[in-house]
């Protein structure tokens, strides 16, 4: 099949592209730096010509509420229009477990808007809801840092390694669309503050992590069930320790 990956040069996109090419698929890694822009529409028609599957991994360059909403709505509408013109048979999008449980977060509201466009498009689709990537731990720590202290919610997370995400995106691309949601998650459920403390200690970082139930995550207050799934998610196999040993310092 010809498969177009929007955001195909990023963390998940590059790993998914590599896996699909090894399986013999024709893969187009579409991104602004390869001449394909879902905001302006540049290069979309040519990239999607003859494509059977599109995987949307695009992310907003800004997380400001208005900007991120405009990005996902504009990108989503332009992409769906181009897919309809090209006769794409399966639209796949990567989203977030708990996206509909955190309306305080402008980023989560924008992802909900993106999903609405997909569901109403008429194109067969699969939306993949993922837990947080282990690769985001440094950024999460930085977001909660004040001085030498990191304030983070003690809510549960179940982080997943990017290699496990790419394996799942590859599997979904080879499957028929389900017109619904697939959930993917890491193998270990742990409190966010405790996980980041483990990460910082392993990195030799001297910042102290404090549990703060009022600390915000992308603008939202978390509950224990906000970012985890009990809906039989597909579990990755890479543990935090395995990920840290092979990937954390790259």
């Amino acid at each position: 099949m010809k498969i177009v990956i929007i955001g195909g040069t990023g963390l998940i996109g590059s790993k998914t592209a590599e896996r699909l090419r090894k399986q013999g698929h024709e893969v187009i890694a579409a991104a602004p730096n390869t001449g394909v822009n879902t905001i302006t529409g540049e290069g979309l028609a040519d990239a999607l010509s003859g494509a059977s599957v599109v995987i949307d991994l695009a992310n907003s360059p800004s997380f400001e509420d208005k900007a991120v909403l405009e990005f996902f709505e504009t990108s989503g509408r332009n992409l769906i229009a181009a897919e309809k013109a090209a006769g794409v048979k399966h639209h796949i999008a990567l989203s977030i477990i708990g996206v509909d449980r955190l309306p305080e977060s402008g980023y989560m509201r924008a992802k909900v808007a993106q999903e609405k466009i997909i569901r109403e498009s008429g194109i067969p689709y699969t939306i993949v809801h993922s837990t947080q990537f282990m690769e985001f731990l440094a950024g999460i720590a930085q977001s909660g840092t004040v001085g030498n202290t990191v304030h983070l919610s003690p809510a549960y997370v179940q982080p997943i390694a990017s290699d496990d995400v790419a394996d799942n995106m590859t599997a979904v691309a080879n499957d028929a669309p389900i017109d619904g949601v697939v959930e993917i998650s890491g193998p270990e459920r742990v409190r966010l503050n405790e996980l980041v403390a483990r990460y910082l200690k392993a990195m030799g970082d001297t910042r102290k992590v404090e549990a703060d139930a009022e600390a915000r995550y992308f603008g939202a207050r978390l509950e224990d069930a906000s970012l985890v799934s009990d809906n039989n998610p597909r579990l990755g196999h890479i543990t935090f320790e395995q990920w840290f040993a092979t990937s954390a310092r790259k």
Side-chain angles (χ1 to χ4, degrees):
M1 292 186 292
K2 179 178 177 180
I3 300 173
V4 177
I5 304 178
I6 306 297
T9 60
L11 174 67
I12 305 301
S14 57
K15 292 184 176 188
T16 303
E18 178 185 14
R19 286 159 169 75
L20 289 167
R21 287 188 180 117
K22 284 182 178 178
Q23 294 177 348
H25 298 295
E26 176 189 355
V27 180
I28 304 297
N33 60 3
T34 66
V36 182
N37 191 314
T38 57
I39 298 300
T40 65
E42 176 192 2
L44 261 184
D46 286 344
L48 267 58
S49 177
S52 297
V53 177
V54 171
I55 304 174
D56 185 7
L57 304 174
N59 203 3
S60 173
S62 169
F63 282 14
E64 187 274 325
D65 286 3
K66 183 172 183 289
V68 72
L69 179 61
E70 288 180 351
F71 176 88
F72 281 117
E73 288 188 331
T74 302
S75 177
R77 289 177 182 134
N78 287 343
L79 187 53
I80 290 298
E83 288 179 24
K84 286 182 176 179
V88 169
K89 298 177 177 64
H90 189 183
H91 177 98
I92 302 166
L94 181 60
S95 191
I96 306 163
I97 282 178
V99 69
D100 55 348
R101 297 195 285 264
L102 297 172
E104 291 177 285
S105 167
Y107 187 86
M108 298 295 190
R109 292 196 302 271
K111 292 296 287 184
V112 169
Q114 177 195 29
E115 291 188 17
K116 184 173 186 288
I117 290 169
I118 294 166
R119 294 174 197 276
E120 295 176 353
S121 69
I123 297 174
Y125 70 90
T126 304
I127 296 171
V128 180
H129 279 179
S130 174
T131 52
Q132 288 59 44
F133 304 162
M134 293 183 192
E135 285 80 1
F136 291 171
L137 288 174
I140 291 171
Q142 188 58 40
S143 72
T145 297
V146 179
N148 200 48
T149 303
V150 184
H151 298 266
L152 290 174
S153 169
Y156 284 114
V157 291
Q158 199 159 333
I160 187 168
S162 60
D163 282 314
D164 280 335
V165 178
D167 285 344
N168 277 284
M169 298 307 294
T170 300
V172 171
N174 282 290
D175 289 341
I178 65 170
D179 290 335
V181 173
V182 169
E183 295 192 330
I184 64 174
S185 180
E188 179 187 13
R189 185 167 296 191
V190 62
R191 295 194 180 277
L192 178 60
N193 63 302
E194 294 174 358
L195 178 65
V196 172
R198 279 164 63 187
Y199 170 76
L200 293 179
K201 181 180 180 181
M203 290 292 290
D205 192 312
T206 60
R207 281 177 288 175
K208 178 183 177 183
V209 180
E210 286 191 1
D212 181 354
E214 297 304 319
R216 293 309 200 252
Y217 181 85
F218 288 102
R221 185 184 187 281
L222 300 180
E223 304 292 342
D224 274 352
S226 295
L227 296 176
V228 292
S229 172
D230 290 314
N231 190 30
N232 297 313
R234 301 180 184 181
L235 295 181
H237 68 277
I238 300 171
T239 66
F240 170 79
E241 285 76 18
Q242 289 169 332
W243 168 80
F244 190 89
T246 60
S247 305
R249 298 181 186 274
K250 289 184 180 179

